[in-house]
Amino acid sequence: MSASVTVVKPGMLTTVQDLGRRGYQSVGVPVAGPMDAYSHRLANQLLGNDPSAAALEITLLGPELIVEGDLVCATAGADISLSVEGKPAPINEAFRVRSGARLRWGTRISGARQTFAVAGGFDVPATLGSRATHLASRMGPFGGRPLRAGDVLPVGTPGGGRAFAGHPLDVPSGGAHLRVLPAVHRDRFTEDAWGLLVHARFTISPQSNRMGYRLDGPVLSHAGAADILSEAMPCGAIQVPSSGQPILLLADRATTGGYATIANVISADLPIAGQLAPGDWIQFDPINREDAIAALRRREAALRGVTR
């Protein structure tokens, strides 16, 4: 009999994610995927899975699950305690779970999102080649919605890939520094606005989600109009609407946007951004292109890191 996982309690927001629905942005299909792609890849590495194998993204308050069939599992990302039949399970390393075991997530210690992966990945239906859940468009497995009690997730057959562990992400607790490069619309903002962006501290608003973080803080003034002709918007872009309150675009962002962008968070720091929650602070630090590329290379080297 094939292995599966049944949802007893769904937690605050638990979704199926892979590395996203790529290749369709030109026709308006969002990428989606994990908020912290680094930890998603690490959890799959620990099991010898393909880096994009489907896993669960657990947000702040974890679910309760029952497994059918013996499994090898791994978690990475946020430090949210997990017990298997009442005994603590490790984070950032693989562990075995017997058929019939009950998995319960408990206290959040740091970070906001934890990846829970199983050897073989979750074999749920794919849409446009991806098992990522995009909440706004309801695209993905289970009708593109978060998991509910009673959902059953079939587990795929382990592919026999080589398991190895890199260095886990240093997840933030309460806030983080994120490094930024000036965006293409930088000249549509005043010098004061740029100075405030890279010196002030912003707070993530409760009106934030996987599409983007709305940031409370000083008003960033435009040199002209806030609106632009709609154009492609990357993950990490910092849009500023006419209110002057910035929005940091994240995994579930739309493919295009109509507000001027003042800066972009560098790729190496996007996993850190994905580990923040409403109420956490953000301080943006300027960086140059060469150092941004070097930071991404170090991040990738850390993921390849220690081998087993």
Side-chain angles (χ1 to χ4, degrees), residues 167-194:
H167 295 288
L169 191 71
D170 186 11
V171 295
S173 180
H177 289 259
L178 301 177
R179 291 166 288 185
V180 294
L181 289 166
V184 65
H185 305 133
R186 163 68 182 87
D187 61 357
R188 296 176 70 98
F189 294 86
T190 65
E191 287 301 319
D192 285 347
W194 180 259

Short mmCIF file of all heavy atoms in Angstrom, two decimals, residues 167-194:
data_model
loop_
_atom_site.label_atom_id
_atom_site.label_comp_id
_atom_site.label_asym_id
_atom_site.label_seq_id
_atom_site.Cartn_x
_atom_site.Cartn_y
_atom_site.Cartn_z
N HIS A 167 24.29 23.93 5.19
CA HIS A 167 24.12 24.71 6.42
C HIS A 167 22.70 25.27 6.46
O HIS A 167 22.27 25.92 5.51
CB HIS A 167 25.13 25.84 6.49
CG HIS A 167 26.55 25.35 6.59
ND1 HIS A 167 27.04 24.77 7.73
CD2 HIS A 167 27.55 25.35 5.70
CE1 HIS A 167 28.31 24.43 7.54
NE2 HIS A 167 28.64 24.76 6.30
N PRO A 168 21.97 25.06 7.55
CA PRO A 168 20.60 25.60 7.62
C PRO A 168 20.61 27.12 7.67
O PRO A 168 21.61 27.75 8.06
CB PRO A 168 20.06 25.00 8.93
CG PRO A 168 21.27 24.67 9.73
CD PRO A 168 22.34 24.31 8.75
N LEU A 169 19.50 27.69 7.27
CA LEU A 169 19.34 29.14 7.29
C LEU A 169 19.37 29.65 8.73
O LEU A 169 18.81 29.01 9.64
CB LEU A 169 18.00 29.50 6.65
CG LEU A 169 17.75 30.97 6.33
CD1 LEU A 169 18.62 31.42 5.17
CD2 LEU A 169 16.27 31.19 5.99
N ASP A 170 20.02 30.78 8.95
CA ASP A 170 20.00 31.44 10.26
C ASP A 170 18.71 32.25 10.33
O ASP A 170 18.67 33.41 9.92
CB ASP A 170 21.23 32.33 10.40
CG ASP A 170 21.35 32.91 11.80
OD1 ASP A 170 20.61 32.46 12.70
OD2 ASP A 170 22.16 33.85 11.98
N VAL A 171 17.64 31.65 10.82
CA VAL A 171 16.32 32.29 10.74
C VAL A 171 16.22 33.44 11.75
O VAL A 171 16.74 33.35 12.86
CB VAL A 171 15.18 31.28 10.97
CG1 VAL A 171 15.14 30.26 9.86
CG2 VAL A 171 15.33 30.59 12.31
N PRO A 172 15.56 34.52 11.38
CA PRO A 172 15.46 35.69 12.26
C PRO A 172 14.42 35.50 13.36
O PRO A 172 13.54 34.65 13.26
CB PRO A 172 15.03 36.80 11.30
CG PRO A 172 14.24 36.07 10.24
CD PRO A 172 14.90 34.73 10.08
N SER A 173 14.56 36.31 14.39
CA SER A 173 13.59 36.32 15.47
C SER A 173 13.25 37.77 15.80
O SER A 173 14.07 38.48 16.38
CB SER A 173 14.15 35.61 16.71
OG SER A 173 13.21 35.62 17.76
N GLY A 174 12.10 38.23 15.33
CA GLY A 174 11.66 39.59 15.65
C GLY A 174 11.96 40.62 14.58
O GLY A 174 11.38 41.71 14.61
N GLY A 175 12.86 40.33 13.65
CA GLY A 175 13.16 41.29 12.60
C GLY A 175 14.47 40.94 11.91
O GLY A 175 15.18 40.01 12.33
N ALA A 176 14.80 41.68 10.84
CA ALA A 176 16.00 41.34 10.07
C ALA A 176 16.45 42.53 9.23
O ALA A 176 15.65 43.39 8.85
CB ALA A 176 15.71 40.14 9.16
N HIS A 177 17.75 42.55 8.95
CA HIS A 177 18.31 43.45 7.95
C HIS A 177 18.22 42.76 6.59
O HIS A 177 18.60 41.59 6.46
CB HIS A 177 19.78 43.76 8.26
CG HIS A 177 19.97 44.65 9.46
ND1 HIS A 177 20.23 46.00 9.35
CD2 HIS A 177 19.91 44.38 10.78
CE1 HIS A 177 20.34 46.53 10.56
NE2 HIS A 177 20.15 45.56 11.46
N LEU A 178 17.71 43.47 5.59
CA LEU A 178 17.62 42.95 4.23
C LEU A 178 18.39 43.90 3.32
O LEU A 178 18.17 45.12 3.35
CB LEU A 178 16.16 42.85 3.77
CG LEU A 178 15.23 41.96 4.61
CD1 LEU A 178 13.80 42.03 4.07
CD2 LEU A 178 15.73 40.52 4.64
N ARG A 179 19.27 43.35 2.49
CA ARG A 179 20.10 44.19 1.62
C ARG A 179 19.36 44.49 0.31
O ARG A 179 18.67 43.61 -0.23
CB ARG A 179 21.43 43.49 1.36
CG ARG A 179 22.30 43.43 2.61
CD ARG A 179 23.45 42.47 2.48
NE ARG A 179 23.01 41.08 2.49
CZ ARG A 179 23.82 40.02 2.48
NH1 ARG A 179 25.13 40.21 2.45
NH2 ARG A 179 23.33 38.79 2.50
N VAL A 180 19.53 45.73 -0.17
CA VAL A 180 18.78 46.18 -1.35
C VAL A 180 19.69 46.83 -2.38
O VAL A 180 20.72 47.44 -2.05
CB VAL A 180 17.66 47.18 -0.96
CG1 VAL A 180 16.60 46.50 -0.12
CG2 VAL A 180 18.23 48.40 -0.24
N LEU A 181 19.27 46.71 -3.64
CA LEU A 181 19.85 47.45 -4.76
C LEU A 181 18.82 48.46 -5.26
O LEU A 181 17.60 48.19 -5.19
CB LEU A 181 20.19 46.48 -5.90
CG LEU A 181 21.38 45.54 -5.68
CD1 LEU A 181 21.37 44.44 -6.73
CD2 LEU A 181 22.68 46.33 -5.73
N PRO A 182 19.24 49.61 -5.76
CA PRO A 182 18.27 50.56 -6.33
C PRO A 182 17.51 49.91 -7.48
O PRO A 182 18.07 49.15 -8.27
CB PRO A 182 19.15 51.72 -6.83
CG PRO A 182 20.44 51.58 -6.10
CD PRO A 182 20.63 50.10 -5.85
N ALA A 183 16.19 50.19 -7.56
CA ALA A 183 15.37 49.64 -8.63
C ALA A 183 15.39 50.56 -9.85
O ALA A 183 15.92 51.68 -9.81
CB ALA A 183 13.94 49.46 -8.13
N VAL A 184 14.79 50.09 -10.92
CA VAL A 184 14.80 50.83 -12.18
C VAL A 184 14.08 52.18 -12.06
O VAL A 184 14.39 53.13 -12.80
CB VAL A 184 14.18 49.96 -13.29
CG1 VAL A 184 12.69 49.70 -13.03
CG2 VAL A 184 14.40 50.57 -14.67
N HIS A 185 13.16 52.30 -11.08
CA HIS A 185 12.43 53.55 -10.90
C HIS A 185 13.02 54.42 -9.79
O HIS A 185 12.35 55.33 -9.30
CB HIS A 185 10.96 53.27 -10.57
CG HIS A 185 10.28 52.40 -11.57
ND1 HIS A 185 9.50 51.31 -11.22
CD2 HIS A 185 10.27 52.44 -12.93
CE1 HIS A 185 9.04 50.72 -12.31
NE2 HIS A 185 9.49 51.38 -13.36
N ARG A 186 14.24 54.18 -9.41
CA ARG A 186 14.86 54.93 -8.30
C ARG A 186 14.75 56.44 -8.51
O ARG A 186 14.54 57.20 -7.56
CB ARG A 186 16.33 54.50 -8.19
CG ARG A 186 17.24 55.40 -7.39
CD ARG A 186 16.92 55.43 -5.92
NE ARG A 186 17.80 56.36 -5.24
CZ ARG A 186 17.58 57.66 -5.11
NH1 ARG A 186 16.47 58.19 -5.64
NH2 ARG A 186 18.42 58.45 -4.49
N ASP A 187 14.90 56.91 -9.77
CA ASP A 187 14.88 58.34 -10.03
C ASP A 187 13.48 58.95 -9.95
O ASP A 187 13.31 60.17 -10.11
CB ASP A 187 15.52 58.67 -11.38
CG ASP A 187 14.79 58.03 -12.55
OD1 ASP A 187 13.81 57.28 -12.30
OD2 ASP A 187 15.20 58.26 -13.71
N ARG A 188 12.47 58.15 -9.68
CA ARG A 188 11.11 58.66 -9.50
C ARG A 188 10.84 58.96 -8.02
O ARG A 188 9.71 59.26 -7.63
CB ARG A 188 10.08 57.66 -10.03
CG ARG A 188 10.18 57.43 -11.54
CD ARG A 188 9.19 56.36 -11.98
NE ARG A 188 7.82 56.84 -11.89
CZ ARG A 188 7.12 57.33 -12.90
NH1 ARG A 188 7.67 57.42 -14.10
NH2 ARG A 188 5.87 57.73 -12.73
N PHE A 189 11.90 58.88 -7.19
CA PHE A 189 11.77 59.18 -5.76
C PHE A 189 12.75 60.26 -5.38
O PHE A 189 13.81 60.43 -6.00
CB PHE A 189 12.04 57.92 -4.93
CG PHE A 189 11.02 56.84 -5.13
CD1 PHE A 189 11.15 55.93 -6.18
CD2 PHE A 189 9.91 56.75 -4.30
CE1 PHE A 189 10.20 54.94 -6.38
CE2 PHE A 189 8.96 55.75 -4.49
CZ PHE A 189 9.10 54.85 -5.54
N THR A 190 12.41 61.00 -4.31
CA THR A 190 13.29 62.06 -3.83
C THR A 190 14.51 61.45 -3.13
O THR A 190 14.50 60.28 -2.73
CB THR A 190 12.54 62.95 -2.83
OG1 THR A 190 12.21 62.17 -1.67
CG2 THR A 190 11.27 63.52 -3.45
N GLU A 191 15.55 62.26 -2.96
CA GLU A 191 16.74 61.80 -2.22
C GLU A 191 16.36 61.50 -0.77
O GLU A 191 16.90 60.57 -0.15
CB GLU A 191 17.85 62.84 -2.29
CG GLU A 191 18.52 62.94 -3.65
CD GLU A 191 19.14 61.61 -4.08
OE1 GLU A 191 19.75 60.94 -3.22
OE2 GLU A 191 19.01 61.25 -5.26
N ASP A 192 15.45 62.30 -0.21
CA ASP A 192 15.00 62.04 1.15
C ASP A 192 14.36 60.66 1.27
O ASP A 192 14.54 59.96 2.27
CB ASP A 192 13.99 63.11 1.60
CG ASP A 192 14.68 64.43 1.93
OD1 ASP A 192 15.92 64.45 2.05
OD2 ASP A 192 13.96 65.44 2.05
N ALA A 193 13.60 60.27 0.24
CA ALA A 193 12.93 58.97 0.27
C ALA A 193 13.96 57.84 0.32
O ALA A 193 13.82 56.89 1.10
CB ALA A 193 12.03 58.81 -0.95
N TRP A 194 14.99 57.95 -0.50
CA TRP A 194 16.03 56.91 -0.48
C TRP A 194 16.74 56.88 0.88
O TRP A 194 17.00 55.81 1.45
CB TRP A 194 17.05 57.14 -1.59
CG TRP A 194 18.13 56.10 -1.59
CD1 TRP A 194 19.39 56.22 -1.09
CD2 TRP A 194 18.03 54.75 -2.08
NE1 TRP A 194 20.08 55.05 -1.23
CE2 TRP A 194 19.27 54.13 -1.84
CE3 TRP A 194 17.01 54.03 -2.69
CZ2 TRP A 194 19.53 52.80 -2.19
CZ3 TRP A 194 17.27 52.70 -3.03
CH2 TRP A 194 18.51 52.10 -2.79
#
